[in-house]
Amino acid sequence: MITLCIRYIHRCSKVCSLGLFMLMGCLFSMPIFSQEIVKDVISSNTTVYSKEWAVAFLFNTNGLGIGSRFTTIKNTKVAFHRELSFTEFTHPQQLSTSNPYYPDAKSYYFGKVNSFYALKAGWGIARTLTQKPLLNGVKLSINSSIGTSIGFEKPTYLQIIQPDANYQAFVLTTERYSAEKHFAENIYGGASWFKGIDETQANVGIYTNVAINMEFGLKNRGLYAIETGFNLDYYPSGITLMAFKGKQYSFVACNLRLWMGRRR
């Protein structure tokens, strides 16, 4: 009996020794492992990048668009960029509707005289407010830009209900929208978007944008950022979007931009 107890205690001591050895190994290896992680992150953060390229989805309070940006990094505080974007402008009173008497009719924007799109090219500067921490966090910077804009004003065409020559039936005709001739009762629906594209007029203007950029992500080579701010567009010749509203010369909007890109 005594012999069995001694053997049992001996086996338990071996198991406890093995467990203690493994625990000590883990404890001693943790600082080494954490040091390797920090070393890798530091080496990644100290990599010098001189160029950035990114694309963005643009969400404005007066329309949507897409954009791209090419950035030259001067130092850790300042960077210069060139940008290109294409956006659509909408009017706050632009509401989609349809003719209730014709269930198959296409929807249209009642009172919309023209569709308006803008191709913008500009230059800007980014000033870093806070750097991104080593392991995780957000880099804050303020971006400002100014540039030229070429606006494209395309007239709106609608399908209109008209009586035939004998006034015995109705036919559909495609006509340019006129507030004096077309009403909710005789508008069947919207025509093809391509109708009237050959009548598009160009308008040259200027724009400026100021925004706060919040960059996040663990990898410095990849660029993922959210940008929010406001932009101002000005067209000296004026743009007509809606009937009975006259020409609009300036457009002020808040914006949200989702950026994705790379550094090198």
Side-chain angles (χ1 to χ4, degrees):
M1 184 67 178
I2 295 175
T3 304
L4 292 175
C5 290
I6 293 173
R7 290 180 178 177
Y8 179 74
I9 293 172
H10 182 67
R11 290 179 181 177
C12 290
S13 64
K14 286 185 177 181
V15 174
C16 292
S17 299
L18 180 61
L20 182 61
F21 177 77
M22 294 176 63
L23 179 61
M24 294 296 291
C26 291
L27 291 176
F28 281 108
S29 63
M30 285 179 63
I32 299 174
F33 181 67
S34 61
Q35 289 176 7
E36 291 296 328
I37 294 178
V38 174
K39 182 179 179 182
D40 290 342
V41 174
I42 292 175
S43 63
S44 176
N45 274 271
T46 54
T47 302
V48 178
Y49 298 102
S50 60
K51 303 292 183 181
E52 291 180 356
W53 176 81
V55 295
F57 296 100
L58 314 179
F59 302 91
N60 303 324
T61 52
N62 61 355
L64 303 175
I66 56 174
S68 63
R69 180 178 288 169
F70 304 88
T71 303
T72 300
I73 303 172
K74 184 178 180 181
N75 51 50
T76 58
K77 294 294 184 180
V78 178
F80 300 98
H81 61 257
R82 294 167 294 166
E83 60 184 23
L84 186 69
S85 65
F86 183 80
T87 58
E88 178 186 11
F89 286 77
T90 60
H91 194 276
Q93 296 182 0
Q94 177 179 309
L95 299 176
S96 178
T97 185
S98 60
N99 195 320
Y101 300 104
Y102 300 91
D104 298 332
K106 296 181 180 180
S107 61
Y108 66 98
Y109 296 105
F110 183 76
K112 184 175 181 178
V113 179
N114 295 298
S115 296
F116 185 63
Y117 308 89
L119 179 64
K120 305 178 185 180
W123 305 263
I125 183 172
R127 299 185 182 275
T128 302
L129 301 178
T130 60
Q131 290 288 350
K132 188 190 303 182
L134 291 179
L135 294 178
N136 203 349
V138 176
K139 175 185 175 182
L140 293 179
S141 59
I142 182 168
N143 290 356
S144 57
S145 58
I146 189 171
T148 59
S149 175
I150 301 178
F152 301 96
E153 198 173 4
K154 187 187 79 67
T156 299
Y157 273 78
L158 301 173
Q159 289 184 314
I160 307 301
I161 304 171
Q162 297 280 13
D164 63 3
N166 299 321
Y167 290 90
Q168 296 180 353
F170 292 98
V171 295
L172 293 179
T173 60
T174 301
E175 300 178 13
R176 182 171 179 171
Y177 172 71
S178 172
E180 291 75 21
K181 296 170 31 181
H182 303 140
F183 312 96
E185 294 77 12
N186 66 348
I187 298 176
Y188 179 78
S192 171
W193 181 88
F194 295 97
K195 184 64 177 178
I197 196 171
D198 56 334
E199 302 175 51
T200 300
Q201 295 182 352
N203 294 273
V204 180
I206 58 175
Y207 80 94
T208 184
N209 178 77
V210 178
I212 294 292
N213 183 284
M214 296 166 283
E215 181 189 336
F216 54 91
L218 291 175
K219 296 182 179 180
N220 283 341
R221 187 173 179 83
L223 192 156
Y224 304 94
I226 297 176
E227 194 172 281
T228 179
F230 72 92
N231 51 271
L232 169 65
D233 296 78
Y234 178 74
Y235 297 90
S237 59
I239 306 299
T240 302
L241 294 179
M242 301 293 291
F244 309 113
K245 296 298 180 182
K247 289 189 175 184
Q248 188 172 347
Y249 295 89
S250 61
F251 299 83
V252 180
C254 297
N255 59 57
L256 176 68
R257 302 180 176 188
L258 305 179
W259 290 97
M260 296 171 289
R262 300 284 290 176
R263 291 189 176 92
R264 62 182 178 86

